[in-house]
Amino acid sequence: ALVDGLIARLQERAEVDAHEMRDAPEGSAAHYVRTSAEVDSAFDRTLLAALRLSLGTDSRVTEALQEIRARWLRLITDDVGDDDVARAVLLMGDGLYSASLAVDSPTAALATTDADRDAQALLRVVDRLRGQPADLTAADRRRRAARRRGRRG
């Protein structure tokens, strides 16, 4: 029953997260990278509990986590318009999240620094991967993303 409750809470919070990503003025990719450095939120605590349970034998937790990750990847792909760039952005967010957990942990790795969780630096890399100037405004990004969706849809 506890696992079922955790999965339900995880899915609810992931749905809210997906809506925030989809509606983010800066675009889904930038939103994902920026929020990957945020730890100790309600969603983060639920996600960590699920990640710990996924190390066990209950495949339902692993499946729920895989669905969430696939949704993030779809949203990022819709935003950047390139599967390879989207996967790179997803992995950047993973690394940023991992570094943020390590820095905020009482047993933090000595080699992990605040620079390792610099979301702004990674957002500039996302812009370069997209082939966009780093100073492109959020409104310009939304217009470009809308044009890309229109061509595919």
Side-chain angles (χ1 to χ4, degrees):
L2 286 175
V3 171
D4 292 333
L6 177 66
I7 291 171
R9 177 171 285 167
L10 178 66
Q11 290 170 332
E12 289 168 10
R13 291 184 172 159
E15 186 64 33
V16 169
D17 183 64
H19 284 291
E20 290 173 358
M21 274 182 77
R22 193 175 305 112
D23 298 338
E26 71 268 36
S28 295
H31 177 83
Y32 178 76
V33 169
R34 183 178 49 76
T35 60
S36 291
E38 297 173 0
V39 294
D40 204 32
S41 67
F43 182 48
D44 174 56
R45 289 187 299 274
T46 305
L47 186 61
L48 280 174
L51 286 168
R52 287 181 184 124
L53 279 178
S54 73
L55 300 174
T57 58
D58 195 324
S59 64
R60 296 173 299 163
V61 177
T62 302
E63 289 168 11
L65 289 167
Q66 289 171 340
E67 289 170 14
I68 291 166
R69 192 167 169 78
R71 182 183 311 150
W72 286 337
L73 183 59
R74 281 191 306 274
L75 288 167
I76 295 167
T77 301
D78 287 347
D79 180 27
V80 300
D82 182 293
D83 293 340
D84 295 332
V85 171
R87 185 159 308 286
V89 169
L90 188 71
L91 293 172
M92 275 186 226
D94 291 349
L96 190 57
Y97 183 68
S98 176
S100 294
L101 289 174
V103 168
D104 290 337
S105 166
T107 58
L110 294 177
T112 304
T113 66
D114 285 343
D116 293 330
R117 57 183 187 165
D118 183 357
Q120 291 305 312
L122 289 178
L123 290 172
R124 290 189 296 273
V125 172
V126 170
D127 286 338
R128 288 196 302 269
L129 288 172
R130 289 179 178 189
Q132 297 177 354
D135 60 349
L136 197 65
T137 67
D140 291 334
R141 285 189 187 99
R142 283 193 304 276
R143 281 192 290 278
R144 287 182 179 197
R147 282 194 299 262
R148 280 193 304 274
R149 283 191 296 272
R151 285 188 294 238
R152 284 186 267 158

